[in-house]
C-alpha cells in the first residue's frame, strides 16, 4: 500500500476539519428519513473517512461518489395529469375478466398522446400476460399496494415466450417483468435475435470523440461539439481492449489485477476462450450534458474512471429508450406455483426496467416471484417503498448489464411464506455486469444477502440496511471478478451473526466496509479473485457509525457546497 493509501492517512488524520454537514442536523429541505449524521463530541473514524471524501468527492481512492443516484440525479418524481382509467378500456376487478388487453390499451392511449397517468381503481384484476410500458412520460397508478392487486396467472414462459440459453437455463430467471418498461424497438430486436444478442441500449450515431481525462473530472474535451447541447443524455462509450487494461483500471489498478488471468478466468468480459459477451465489448455510461462551450463539454456527474488513449472513447446517441415513466401504489401478485430449480425459472416476475432511464416504481409490492424488481441496462431509476414477499424468490432485486446510478430507497424483503427448496437459491440484492453508481439504502431483509454476481460491478453502495443474511452469492465463473473498485458496505446490521458477503475486506479491491454490526467474524467466505494487497479498508466493525447513511450524507454535503 502506497503512503497515500495507508490506513493512518485514510482514517487517522481526524484532526482535519469535517464539513459542516457532518457535524450537525440534516439541512432544511433534505429528503425525509433518518438523519445522515449523529452528533458526537469527537471525530470518529467514519467521520474522518467521510471528511476525506468530501475534500474531493469524485476522486477518493476507496469511496465512490454516489450522491446522484436515482431519478433525475436524485430528484423527486413528477405527478402527471390523469388521462385514462383501465376501466374505460374494459378492465373489471371481478376475478373473471382478462384485463391484460385493457391495461395495454390504456397505456398505449396515454403514450400516444404524449403521456399522463393511467388510473387503476381498487380491486383485484386478472392478468394473463405481461403489461408493456413502451412509452415515455406514462405512469400506471393504483390506489395503494393493499387495495390494487394485479393477479398474473401465468409466467412469461407461458404468456409471452420461452427464453432459454443453450445450457437450458431460463433468462427469465434474471430479467423480464410482468410490468415491463421497454421500448418497442428494443423488444422487437430481442425477439428477432431470440434474446441471444444485446440486451441494452440500441446506440445511435457517434456525436464526438473524447480526449483523455481523469476520474473525477466533470469537463471533457471533444473533437467537435456541434452535435452536442446542454440537457442531452448521451452515452460515454469506451473500448474494452483485449489487454484488459480498462478492466484492470476498474479493479482499482491493484497489483492482483495486473497478474489476474483475464482471458482464462473472465472470457465473458474479455476476448478469451469462450468468447466475449457483446454487451461487454465496450463500457457504456449514460450521462447528461449540462453545458457546451466550444469544444469543452461539462457533465452532470464526475467521471467514474479514467479515459485513456489505449481505450478510445466517444459520445453516442442513446437510441430508443423509455424515460420518465413509472408504476405506483399497487401489488403484482403472481400465481402461487412451486419455485423451480436454480436458473430454470419460468418468469413469475415483477417489474423490469430495460434500456430505460429516469423511471421509477413507488409503493409497489411483488409477490410469489422469480425476479422481483429488475434493472437491465437501466440508468437513474428509483425504486422507493417497494416490497418483495410471498413464496421464495430467485432474485428479489437484480441490477445487471451495465445498469448505472439507480437508487433503491426504503425497501423490504419479507420472510418467505414458502422457503427456498432444495436445488434452488435466493440471492437478495444483486449487482453484476460492470454496473456502477447504484445504491440500496434504508432496507430490511428477512431473506437474502448482498449478492455480487461477477462481471465486476464497481462504485456501488449498500447503506443503512438490516438483514438476517441467509442468501447466497452467484454468477458464472466465466464472468470474472466478483468486485471492481469502490464498493461500500456502510452501516449494516446483521441479526444472524454471519458476515458472509457483507464484510468484504478480504475480497473487494479499493473498497470499504464500515460499521457492520452483529457479526461474529470478519471473513466474507467468498473466493478472492485478486492476489496480494487489495488496498481496502474495513473499520468500525460492531460499531454504529456516526455517518449512518452514506448516500444521504453525500447529498447533504453536495447540497451545502
Amino acid at each position: 500500500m502506497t503512503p497515500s493509501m495507508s490506513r493512518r492517512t485514510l482514517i487517522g488524520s481526524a484532526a482535519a476539519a469535517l464539513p459542516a454537514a457532518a457535524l450537525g442536523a440534516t439541512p432544511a429541505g433534505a429528503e425525509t428519513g433518518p438523519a445522515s449524521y449523529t452528533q458526537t463530541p469527537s471525530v470518529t473514524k467514519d467521520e474522518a473517512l467521510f471528511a476525506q471524501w468530501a475534500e474531493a468527492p469524485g476522486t477518493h481512492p476507496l469511496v465512490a461518489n454516489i450522491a446522484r443516484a436515482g431519478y433525475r440525479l436524485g430528484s423527486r418524481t413528477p405527478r402527471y395529469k390523469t388521462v385514462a382509467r383501465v376501466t374505460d378500456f374494459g378492465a373489471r376487478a371481478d376475478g373473471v375478466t382478462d384485463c391484460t388487453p385493457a391495461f395495454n390499451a390504456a397505456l398505449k392511449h396515454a403514450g400516444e398522446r404524449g403521456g399522463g397517468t393511467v388510473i387503476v381503481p381498487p380491486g383485484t384484476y386478472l392478468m394473463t400476460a405481461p403489461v408493456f410500458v413502451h412509452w415515455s412520460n406514462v405512469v400506471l397508478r393504483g390506489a395503494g399496494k393493499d387495495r390494487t392487486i394485479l393477479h398474473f396467472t401465468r409466467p412469461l414462459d407461458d404468456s409471452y415466450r420461452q427464453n432459454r440459453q443453450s445450457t437450458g437455463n431460463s433468462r427469465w430467471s434474471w430479467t423480464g417483468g410482468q410490468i415491463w418498461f421497454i421500448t418497442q424497438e428494443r423488444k422487437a430486436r430481442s425477439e428477432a435475435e431470440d434474446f441471444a444478442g444485446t440486451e441494452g441500449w440500441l446506440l445511435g450515431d457517434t456525436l464526438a470523440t473524447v480526449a483523455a481525462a481523469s476520474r473525477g473530472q466533470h469537463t471533457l474535451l471533444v473533437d467537435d461539439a456541434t452535435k452536442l447541447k446542454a440537457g442531452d443524455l448521451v452515452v460515454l462509450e469506451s473500448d474494452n481492449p483485449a489487454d484488459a487494461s480498462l478492466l484492470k483500471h476498474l479493479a482499482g489498478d491493484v497489483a492482483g489485477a495486473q497478474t489476474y488471468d483475464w482471458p482464462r478466468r473472465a472470457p465473458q468480459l474479455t476476448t478469451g476462450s469462450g468468447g466475449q459477451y457483446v454487451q461487454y465489448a465496450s463500457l457504456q455510461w449514460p450521462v447528461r450534458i449540462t453545458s457546451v462551450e466550444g469544444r469543452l463539454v461539462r457533465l452532470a456527474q464526475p467521471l467514474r474512471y479514467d479515459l485513456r488513449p489505449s481505450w478510445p472513447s466517444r459520445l453516442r446517441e442513446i437510441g430508443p429508450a423509455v424515460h420518465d415513466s413509472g408504476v405506483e401504489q399497487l401489488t403484482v401478485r403472481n400465481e402461487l406455483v412451486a419455485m423451480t430449480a436454480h436458473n430454470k425459472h419460468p418468469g413469475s416476475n415483477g417489474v423490469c426496467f430495460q434500456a430505460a432511464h429516469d423511471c421509477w416504481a413507488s409503493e409497489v409490492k411483488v409477490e410469489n416471484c422469480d425476479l422481483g424488481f429488475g434493472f437491465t441496462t437501466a440508468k437513474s431509476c428509483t425504486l422507493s417503498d417497494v416490497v418483495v414477499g410471498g413464496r421464495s424468490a430467485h432474485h428479489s432485486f437484480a441490477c445487471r448489464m451495465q445498469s448505472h446510478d439507480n437508487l433503491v430507497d426504503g425497501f423490504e424483503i419479507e420472510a418467505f411464506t414458502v422457503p427456498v427448496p432444495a436445488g434452488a437459491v435466493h440471492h437478495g440484492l444483486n449487482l453484476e455486469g460492470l454496473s456502477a453508481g447504484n445504491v440500496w439504502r434504508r432496507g430490511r431483509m428477512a431473506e437474502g444477502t448482498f449478492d455480487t454476481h461477477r462481471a465486476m460491478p464497481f462504485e456501488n453502495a449498500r447503506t443503512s440496511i438490516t438483514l438476517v443474511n441467509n442468501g447466497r452469492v452467484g454468477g458464472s465463473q466465466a464472468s470474472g471478478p466478483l468486485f471492481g473498485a469502490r464498493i461500500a458496505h456502510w452501516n449494516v446490521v446483521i441479526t444472524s451473526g454471519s458476515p458472509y458477503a457483507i464484510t468484504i475486506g478480504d475480497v473487494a479491491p479499493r473498497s470499504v466496509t464500515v460499521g457492520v454490526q452483529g457479526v461474529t467474524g470478519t471473513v466474507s467466505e467468498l473466493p478472492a479473485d485478486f492476489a496480494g494487497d487489495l488496498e481496502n479498508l474495513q473499520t468500525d466493525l460492531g460499531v454504529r457509525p456516526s455517518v449512518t447513511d452514506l448516500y444521504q450524507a453525500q447529498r447533504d454535503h453536495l447540497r451545502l457546497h
Side-chain angles (χ1 to χ4, degrees), residues 17-219:
L18 283 166
L23 295 176
T26 303
E31 290 91 344
T32 59
S36 310
Y37 309 101
T38 302
Q39 184 86 29
T40 56
S42 61
V43 176
T44 61
K45 291 179 179 179
D46 64 280
E47 286 177 322
L49 178 60
F50 183 81
Q52 291 177 347
W53 172 87
E55 291 173 356
T59 61
H60 194 277
L62 307 188
V63 181
N65 186 335
I66 55 168
R68 298 304 184 216
Y71 174 80
R72 296 282 171 176
L73 306 183
S75 301
R76 295 184 182 276
T77 55
R79 291 187 68 85
Y80 301 141
K81 67 178 182 180
T82 297
V83 297
R85 288 175 169 77
V86 295
T87 49
D88 297 336
F89 293 82
R92 298 291 182 268
D94 57 13
V96 177
T97 302
D98 179 6
C99 298
T100 311
F103 273 69
N104 283 317
L107 290 166
K108 181 179 180 181
H109 173 87
E112 291 182 345
R113 286 158 179 78
T117 297
V118 175
I119 296 295
V120 188
T124 298
Y125 297 83
L126 181 68
M127 312 291 289
T128 63
V131 172
F132 289 103
V133 183
H134 293 314
W135 303 272
S136 298
N137 306 302
V138 171
V139 172
L140 184 67
R141 181 184 298 143
K145 58 178 179 287
D146 296 326
R147 301 181 64 204
T148 298
I149 313 295
L150 277 56
H151 178 197
F152 289 87
T153 60
R154 299 190 295 170
L156 296 176
D157 259 2
D158 300 333
S159 65
Y160 174 39
R161 59 184 291 165
Q162 292 192 349
N163 186 2
R164 295 288 188 272
Q165 294 180 316
S166 59
T167 60
N169 289 340
S170 170
R171 295 185 181 92
W172 301 142
S173 301
W174 51 78
T175 194
Q178 300 285 27
I179 300 178
W180 198 341
F181 293 77
I182 183 173
T183 64
Q184 293 170 313
E185 296 92 335
R186 175 67 274 175
K187 178 172 174 284
R189 175 75 68 86
S190 295
E191 292 170 349
E193 296 174 341
D194 198 24
F195 294 90
T198 63
E199 298 181 66
W201 311 113
L202 298 175
L203 295 179
D205 293 340
T206 295
L207 304 172
T209 59
V210 182
S214 298
R215 176 175 169 262
Q217 283 186 211
H218 276 272
T219 301

Side-chain angles (χ1 to χ4, degrees), residues 53-54 56-60 63-69 73 213-220 236 249-250 283 285-290 297-307 379 404-405 436-437 458-459 486 554-555 557-558:
W53 172 87
T59 61
H60 194 277
V63 181
N65 186 335
I66 55 168
R68 298 304 184 216
L73 306 183
S214 298
R215 176 175 169 262
Q217 283 186 211
H218 276 272
T219 301
L220 303 179
L236 174 60
H249 174 60
L250 299 181
L283 184 60
W285 183 48
V287 62
R288 200 168 297 278
I289 295 172
T290 58
V297 177
R298 185 164 178 83
L299 307 178
Q301 298 171 262
L303 290 176
R304 295 200 173 279
Y305 44 86
D306 291 351
L307 305 180
K379 162 75 177 186
H404 302 301
D405 304 306
F458 64 101
E459 297 217 351
R486 288 172 289 281
Q554 289 193 4
R555 289 186 63 79
H557 171 78
L558 295 182

Side-chain angles (χ1 to χ4, degrees), residues 480-502:
L482 288 165
F483 299 97
R486 288 172 289 281
I487 303 295
H489 291 173
W490 192 296
N491 188 25
V492 179
V493 177
I494 298 173
T495 61
S496 67
S498 171
Y500 173 80
I502 309 296

Side-chain angles (χ1 to χ4, degrees), residues 444-449 466-471 493-499:
R444 300 186 305 276
M445 299 171 58
E447 309 281 354
T449 190
T466 298
L467 73 160
V468 175
N469 200 23
N470 57 7
V493 177
I494 298 173
T495 61
S496 67
S498 171

